[in-house]
């Protein structure tokens, strides 16, 4: 134990000091630049420091397919601040809902159809839980060629369609019990208040388990982009189940194959002879090194903490391993607490970069024993041709493959998933 500790101290001294000392000089000159800059006269309470350039806030979104990706390269810990939560919307305008006018109705195969105002919902027993939301298209091969350099670094496009928040709301089971479920009830079909009436279907068993209707996100009202004033939160399952601007829940006895389920979110699969699978539920075990990641540049050899996120829609993260030699050897990363079911988990790994080309990657195992596959393993499991991925045009969904980042000798970091 003792010898380990002093060994580690030596390692930090010998390996890191050269690089870190150079860094100290740089920050000393940066500090004098700061004191010369004109001080700001006003500051809006809650606004980040004018020196905090992390992420990209206030991105202008096109009104006909609104998307925004979480700047994972700057993420710290496991909570995504609301302005950095990714955003997926299929209809053409961000709803502008007055909560005083908003109603949630629960009807269909129930004994007592109900209609709640937001005030009424907030009087009911509530829970606060930390869960990730991930679009099932996150990480699709298409995303690896979609980078828009104006808006951020590649990892935003490859992996930034997942975010993690503390959600507060009412368990859906409370509402359904209040309405009284009829015997034949087995599914829900539920609708948002956006122009396209975005609608999805959910098996009743999940609805009665851990689903909630959420009105708060990280201690404040859910943001408009995330469904203000109310959204469905379906832990661990594909993003599309989490219907935003939620206003109707109908209890039914069969899946409805809604437009988004059958037309928009069903991807033809080679292993099914070109047919699509319609209902896939949980997001599988996944992890990614967020830093260093593509688009960043290491200033020189020396000590770096490798850091990243891991998660599983099936349960909790049990282990994350990191390889810095292209997958030849793996070592356990440190998991940062808390490690929560169906939430992002932060992992860290000490690395001394020797200045040679290196490929770094992470591999997650969850508490169900599921292990994150390599791209080759995933292709094999799903019967996807290497070629279609190599062309990076594939819209394949549920891509949870291990993500390799290549560090070149000049310190620049590159996406090595398809090369
Ligand atoms: N009403 C409504 N809910 C919706 C959508 C939508 O277009 N309209 N998009 C879905 C999709 S595809 C995803 S991935 C998640 C994303 O949630 P977020 O935008 O809060 O990150 O919302 C889902 N809920
Ligand atoms: Mo999505």
């Amino acid at each position: 134990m003792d010898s380990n500790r002093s060994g580690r101290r030596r390692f930090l001294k010998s390996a890191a000091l050269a690089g870190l000392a150079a860094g100290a000089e740089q920050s000393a000159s940066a500090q004098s630049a700061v004191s010369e800059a004109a001080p700001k006269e006003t500051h809006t309470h809650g606004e980040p420091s004018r020196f905090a350039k992390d992420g990209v806030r206030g991105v202008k979104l096109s009104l006909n397919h609104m998307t925004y990706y979480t700047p994972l390269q700057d993420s710290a810990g496991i909570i995504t601040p609301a302005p950095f939560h990714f955003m997926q919307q299929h209809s053409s305008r961000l709803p502008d809902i007055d909560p005083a006018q908003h109603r949630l109705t629960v009807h269909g195969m129930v004994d007592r159809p109900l209609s709640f105002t937001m005030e009424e919902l907030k009087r009911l027993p509530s829970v606060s839980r930390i869960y990730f939301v991930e679009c099932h298209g996150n990480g699709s091969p298409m995303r690896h060629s979609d980078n828009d350099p104006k808006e951020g670094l590649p990892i935003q496009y490859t992996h930034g369609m997942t975010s993690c928040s503390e959600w507060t709301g009412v368990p859906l089971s409370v509402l359904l019990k209040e309405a009284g479920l009829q015997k034949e009830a087995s599914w829900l079909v539920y609708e948002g208040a956006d122009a396209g009436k975005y609608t999805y279907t959910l098996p009743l068993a999940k609805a009665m388990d851990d689903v909630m209707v959420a009105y708060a996100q990280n201690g404040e009202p859910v943001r408009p982009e995330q469904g203000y004033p109310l959204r469905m939160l379906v832990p661990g399952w594909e993003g599309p189940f989490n219907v935003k601007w939620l206003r109707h829940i109908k209890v039914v006895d069969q899946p409805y194959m809604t437009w988004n389920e059958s037309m928009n979110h069903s991807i033809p699969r080679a292993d099914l002879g070109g047919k699509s699978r319609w209902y896939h539920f949980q997001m599988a075990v996944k992890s990614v090194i967020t830093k260093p990641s593509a688009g960043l540049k290491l200033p020189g050899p020396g000590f770096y903490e490798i850091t990243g996120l891991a998660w599983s829609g099936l349960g909790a993260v049990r282990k994350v391993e990191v390889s810095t030699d292209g997958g030849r050897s793996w070592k356990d990363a440190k998991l940062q607490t808390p490690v929560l079911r169906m939430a992002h988990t932060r992992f860290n790994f000490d690395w001394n970069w020797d200045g040679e080309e290196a490929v770094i990657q992470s591999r997650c195992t969850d508490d169900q024993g599921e292990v994150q596959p390599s791209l080759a393993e995933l292709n094999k499991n799903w019967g996807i041709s290497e070629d279609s991925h190599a062309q990076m045009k594939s819209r394949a969904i549920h891509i949870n493959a291990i993500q390799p980042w290549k560090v070149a000798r000049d310190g620049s970091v590159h996406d090595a998933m398809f090369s």
Side-chain angles (χ1 to χ4, degrees):
M1 195 63 188
D2 274 337
S3 71
N4 266 352
R5 234 182 261 146
S6 65
R8 183 177 146 77
R9 224 178 292 129
R10 262 203 314 279
F11 159 74
L12 280 175
K13 270 189 193 143
S14 58
L17 278 187
L20 294 180
E25 261 165 49
Q26 275 166 17
S27 57
S29 61
Q31 252 160 36
S32 58
V34 167
S35 59
E36 279 160 26
K40 217 167 154 251
E41 291 304 329
T42 59
H43 173 83
T44 307
H45 181 81
E47 200 188 349
S49 158
R50 66 195 173 110
F51 299 110
K53 296 280 188 274
D54 287 3
V56 184
R57 293 174 197 245
V59 179
K60 293 267 180 294
L61 298 172
S62 125
L63 280 179
N64 52 31
H65 186 99
M66 299 169 93
T67 50
Y68 169 81
Y69 309 100
T70 298
L72 291 176
Q73 68 277 5
D74 296 320
S75 64
I78 60 169
I79 299 293
T80 313
F84 293 153
H85 199 289
F86 85 98
M87 153 78 164
Q88 270 296 328
Q89 191 194 342
H90 299 284
S91 44
S92 59
R93 197 161 287 277
L94 187 63
D96 184 30
I97 297 175
D98 175 357
Q101 306 300 320
H102 194 71
R103 300 285 180 276
L104 175 67
T105 58
V106 180
H107 65 121
M109 301 174 98
V110 294
D111 297 333
R112 293 170 296 279
L114 298 171
S115 169
F116 297 93
T117 64
M118 287 307 298
E119 283 309 314
E120 286 164 350
L121 279 176
K122 287 180 183 173
R123 283 169 53 185
L124 297 176
S126 64
V127 291
S128 292
R129 300 264 159 74
I130 297 175
Y131 293 126
F132 74 79
V133 175
E134 183 180 18
C135 178
H136 61 183
N138 197 26
S140 95
M142 189 180 76
R143 308 232 60 81
H144 288 258
S145 56
D146 246 18
N147 302 336
D148 178 350
K150 288 194 302 302
E151 283 189 19
L153 295 185
I155 190 174
Q156 285 184 244
Y157 293 87
T158 57
H159 291 78
M161 285 203 282
T162 185
S163 307
C164 183
S165 299
E166 185 198 59
W167 304 97
T168 299
V170 182
L172 184 51
S173 60
V174 169
L175 305 183
L176 295 175
K177 281 181 196 153
E178 191 62 27
L181 292 168
Q182 292 180 353
K183 255 213 309 295
E184 308 74 28
S186 54
W187 289 75
L188 303 183
V189 51
Y190 48 111
E191 181 187 295
D194 38 349
K197 295 187 180 174
Y198 180 94
T199 304
Y200 239 71
T201 327
L202 185 74
L204 193 58
K206 177 70 173 173
M208 294 299 285
D209 181 13
D210 54 5
V211 176
M212 62 204 270
V213 295
Y215 48 74
Q217 172 185 6
N218 301 334
E220 63 171 349
V222 164
R223 293 282 177 109
E225 290 85 346
Q226 267 68 62
Y228 183 85
L230 192 68
R231 82 174 304 169
M232 198 71 101
L233 212 290
V234 183
W237 285 27
E238 293 175 337
F241 283 97
N242 300 273
V243 170
K244 305 187 279 189
W245 313 291
L246 180 68
R247 67 170 172 196
H248 294 310
I249 300 174
K250 186 175 184 185
V251 180
V252 294
D253 60 358
Q254 57 183 299
Y256 264 49
M257 312 284 182
T258 69
W259 186 85
N260 268 294
E261 290 170 325
S262 52
M263 301 297 285
N264 192 21
H265 288 155
S266 60
I267 309 293
R269 277 179 41 178
D271 57 333
L272 301 177
K275 290 184 180 163
S276 303
R277 243 186 82 184
W278 274 344
Y279 287 101
H280 354 70
F281 300 132
Q282 292 105 333
M283 297 306 296
V285 59
K286 194 161 173 178
S287 71
V288 65
I289 293 173
T290 54
K291 203 175 172 182
S293 61
L296 295 172
K297 189 156 189 203
L298 307 185
F303 178 82
Y304 293 90
E305 178 181 70
I306 290 177
T307 187
L309 291 168
W311 62 96
S312 169
L314 303 162
V317 169
R318 195 180 71 205
K319 178 169 77 166
V320 177
E321 298 154 288
V322 167
S323 171
T324 57
D325 58 9
R328 278 189 292 282
S329 66
W330 296 86
K331 289 199 189 92
D332 282 358
K334 288 171 282 185
L335 298 186
Q336 186 175 296
T337 53
V339 177
L340 301 170
R341 297 181 70 242
M342 299 177 287
H344 285 173
T345 296
R346 171 68 54 179
F347 67 87
N348 297 315
F349 185 85
D350 293 344
W351 184 42
N352 182 31
W353 181 45
D354 61 8
E356 293 301 319
E357 187 177 291
V359 174
I360 60 175
Q361 53 197 330
S362 63
R363 175 170 71 192
C364 178
T365 303
D366 70 14
D367 62 1
Q368 306 300 303
E370 292 289 318
V371 183
Q372 187 180 2
S374 68
L375 181 64
E377 287 162 345
L378 184 131
N379 281 337
K380 198 162 158 257
N381 293 347
W382 286 65
I384 300 166
S385 85
E386 301 262 353
D387 277 1
S388 70
H389 272 177
Q391 289 163 13
M392 295 196 284
K393 287 179 186 147
S394 161
R395 274 189 73 202
I397 52 175
H398 286 268
I399 303 296
N400 63 331
I402 290 170
Q403 169 68 51
W405 304 118
K406 186 166 86 191
V407 182
R409 283 182 160 187
D410 67 358
S412 58
V413 189
H414 307 270
D415 183 356
M417 182 71 117
F418 294 98
S419 57

